[in-house]
Amino acid sequence: MAEGLLAGFGLGSEAMGPQPERTGWAAEEEPAPLQKALFQDGDSCSDSSGDGRPGSRLPSFVLQGKTSFPELFQTGHLLFYERFAAYQDYILADCKASEVREFTAEFLEKVLEPCGWRAVWHTNVFEVLVEVTDVDFGALKAVVRLVEPCLCESPLSTFTPECVRELLDLKAWRLPLQELWVAFDSSGALDQTALAVEHVRFFYEHIWRSWDEEEEDEYDYFVRCVEPRLRLHYDILEDRVPSGLVADYRGLLAQCEEIYGDFLSLRSSLSACDSDSEQGNLSMVEGLKLYSEMEQLKQKLKLIENPLLRYVFGYQKNSNIQAKGARPHGQKVTHVVASTLTAGLLGSLLRDRLCREPQEEEAEIQFHRDLLSAVGACYEGDTVIVCPGHYVVHGPFALADSIELEGFGLPDDIVIEQRGKGDTFVDCTGADVRIANIKFVQHDAVEGILIIHRGRTAVENCVLQCETTGVTVRTSAEFLMKTSDLYGAKGAGVEIYPGSTCTLSDSGIHHCKEGILIKDFLDEHYDLPKISMVNNIIHNNEGYGVVLVKPTIFSDLQESAPGGAGENKALEPQTSGEGDAAGRADLEELMECAAGRAGPGARPGPSEPVEGNLEILSELVAASTRKGRMERKRLSKLGITQADDSLMSQDMFVRIVGNQFKWNGKGSFGTFLF
């Protein structure tokens, strides 16, 4: 039986005969042998003495310290697909959350040696060498005894072998498997045991949440919880998640664990007291409050764990870049950046850019070879002129003051390329920033190519070659893109946050996951965005040309509220005659207003593709109308009965005309419900 299991997991003896080369715990259709390729190179281990030995196919390492512990199996650096296959094919399969322990115990019974192996009991305070004499599979614990002579290491001088024995007595000499690190055995007999313990340890440290059993007990626990959390863990390890988002996730996780602990304590106290008493009623109210807070935190965690939604909704990153302001005497400086400055180039600069007017002859000019040093030397009102060349930058590119960054030539001749891993490429926080005639090339980033946190940023005649998302326009920021080209984003080409202003004209957005993504603004805490799109070409995007994010929960709440069905229909703008006359009149008036702002010269001719423009315009104006009605309803509940309709109708300045939508995978416009 044992030999059969060893063979099934690829850890059997040579008597099994030669096997085809495979990696991982399982192939797509049948269990596969475990080859050396299952692990990373032995060089990544602190001690790779296990490599190359006959028998064991796992590397080993030695604990650093004064105590001479035996070598231990190195199993902590398995690849994503190896853990994925182990949990999906061998351990969890299609179990419910409530069945995780049962399925894990069944797996361990098949592969874990029941006794006769040594391990280091590892905690945050000490390490102790023990020997396993039995395994309680149902409790996921090992029955142990101390190895003589006792090997123990701790930074606390007061921690002695007697303390270890007292602690083991309190634990009835039973230790959680995830706290054991299996001692290395070169014969290979304990390879499966080491891997099994590693999978249990990793699962309960990084995947399992204490509230999982109280979630909907469906059969898709692996799909709902294990896979997204596992992917997020490896995305973080491989620097594919912004550091700010990682901090947010860990903070939310700690906060949710704390609230869940308080909730359990309160629930226990409720079961011990009279629910009809005043104290019981107060505890019930407090419990409902804690439950509501916990559900909100869990929802935020799920958004971050989902590889799509974490970029759809993003996070509010606070930029700490400080602006210098103007120089003491108000003078302005022109900074010239050139990798090589020839006499001909200098003459062209003086003639065409630096001395076009007589008064400019007295202007101060500073020359730089490094682009970041030039930007770092800028004050309010300065200009940076970038000469033709290929400039490589490492790290963030921050524009905190109102400056102009202008290429001297065509965009393809002035290339700024980011290399090295980093969160952002270009961060804009200046009140009035202008960027022109430059090509930006992004590599190995985890955030967008350009993020406007606040202020106004104008991009003219530029090329943006993206790596992750494209341009992000944060709340209260303003972005203008004119005669530019944006492509290659794995997310949206342009992300528009609530309360922002975005103007796109005569530009191209193509070969992105989505063309333009307008984030949810229906929440009462958000302001409407102001959007203008004129004569753009949005094509060859994988999804939609334009996507509007809308909450499904909002509609559910509307329908469940008193009189919700009727009110929800009233809020829902209709164009087919089903809505009331007032709703149609408001919508038509806003449509005419939005289209009329473009002026006669901007209206598309009969041969132009107007269908996408009208569809987007109709949906955005309808959402704006709905937002206005929600706001009026909220104000009326506060006792403010007269809302300024004309003001609300102007909140969302929509101008969408003359755009062309071609060859987008899902069409010109769509909605993303969450």
Side-chain angles (χ1 to χ4, degrees), residues 371 375 382-384 386 397-407 411 414 416 425-430 432-440 449-452 456-464 471 479-484:
L371 180 64
V375 173
D382 283 5
T383 299
V384 179
V386 186
F397 189 89
L399 304 178
D401 289 278
S402 297
I403 67 172
E404 291 190 15
L405 179 65
E406 182 179 342
I414 302 104
I416 301 176
F425 189 175
V426 183
D427 261 346
C428 292
T429 57
D432 191 3
V433 175
R434 179 177 175 269
I435 305 172
N437 307 327
I438 294 175
K439 180 177 182 178
F440 293 91
I449 195 168
L450 172 63
I451 300 180
I452 302 100
R456 180 180 185 273
T457 297
V459 174
E460 301 178 20
N461 195 33
C462 289
V463 177
L464 306 177
V471 178
F479 174 61
L480 186 150
M481 184 168 75
K482 183 177 181 181
T483 59
S484 297

Side-chain angles (χ1 to χ4, degrees), residues 8 18 35 50 68 103 184 212 371 414:
Q35 305 291 349
S68 299
F103 273 59
F184 183 76
D212 278 353
L371 180 64
I414 302 104

Side-chain angles (χ1 to χ4, degrees), residues 2-135:
E3 285 297 324
L5 288 173
L6 287 171
F9 281 91
L11 295 172
S13 63
E14 285 72 16
M16 294 298 297
Q19 298 289 334
E21 186 73 17
R22 296 184 185 179
T23 59
W25 279 74
E28 292 184 2
E29 298 180 356
E30 59 181 358
L34 180 64
Q35 305 291 349
K36 287 184 179 180
L38 181 61
F39 304 98
Q40 297 175 358
D41 294 337
D43 294 341
S44 64
C45 307
S46 59
D47 184 349
S48 58
S49 57
D51 294 344
R53 294 183 178 180
S56 177
R57 299 180 181 180
L58 301 180
S60 66
F61 74 103
V62 176
L63 284 175
Q64 302 299 318
K66 298 178 181 178
T67 305
S68 299
F69 286 108
E71 294 178 59
L72 304 178
F73 281 105
Q74 172 65 278
T75 57
H77 56 289
L78 298 179
L79 301 178
F80 164 80
Y81 73 89
E82 295 159 358
R83 296 193 192 275
F84 181 94
Y87 292 127
Q88 183 184 51
D89 297 339
Y90 291 98
I91 303 176
L92 301 177
D94 58 350
C95 73
K96 303 177 182 178
S98 60
E99 299 172 335
V100 166
R101 184 175 290 271
E102 177 186 347
F103 273 59
T104 304
E106 291 180 2
F107 165 74
L108 293 176
E109 288 179 3
K110 297 175 182 177
V111 301
L112 201 67
E113 289 293 331
C115 61
W117 48 278
R118 294 184 174 188
V120 170
W121 178 22
H122 173 78
T123 70
N124 294 330
V125 180
F126 59 84
E127 288 91 24
V128 178
L129 183 64
V130 297
E131 181 177 343
V132 175
T133 60
D134 195 9
V135 177

